[in-house]
């Protein structure tokens, strides 16, 4: 799950492996994967605006990491 704060700040270019489904929700967007293949996901994105963006990515089981980034021109 990617928080809406990050979804608003990022323009997602590519997700590897490709998710089975992408479901927008009230507080986050859920990327669903089959569970087969590598246990890592790469998200390529471009910041939409210059400045600070904060948010979180949540993993199955409830574990999450906070993301704090600052995009420069």
């Amino acid at each position: 799950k990617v928080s809406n704060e990050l979804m608003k700040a990022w323009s997602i270019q590519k997700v590897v492996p490709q998710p089975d489904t992408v479901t927008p929700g009230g507080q986050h967007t859920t990327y669903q994967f089959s569970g087969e293949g590598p246990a890592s996901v790469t998200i390529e994105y471009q910041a939409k605006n210059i400045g600070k963006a904060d948010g979180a990515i949540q993993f199955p089981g409830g574990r999450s990491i906070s993301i704090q980034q600052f995009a420069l021109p």
Side-chain angles (χ1 to χ4, degrees), residues 27-50:
Q27 306 257 337
H28 55 263
T29 297
T30 301
Y31 288 81
Q32 184 76 37
F33 299 91
S34 66
E36 298 174 13
S40 67
V41 173
T42 301
I43 300 174
E44 293 181 16
Y45 66 91
Q46 182 171 352
K48 291 181 181 177
N49 299 302
I50 297 169

Side-chain angles (χ1 to χ4, degrees), residues 47 49-53 69-73:
N49 299 302
I50 297 169
K52 186 177 178 186
Q69 73 170 32
F70 195 91
L72 299 172

Side-chain angles (χ1 to χ4, degrees), residues 1-12 25-29 45 47-49 52-57 65 67-69:
K1 296 178 182 179
V2 178
S3 68
N4 282 345
E5 292 85 4
L6 292 178
M7 294 302 291
K8 290 176 188 172
W10 294 351
S11 174
I12 303 293
Q27 306 257 337
H28 55 263
T29 297
Y45 66 91
K48 291 181 181 177
N49 299 302
K52 186 177 178 186
D54 296 329
I57 296 177
I65 58 170
I67 304 289
Q68 298 176 333
Q69 73 170 32

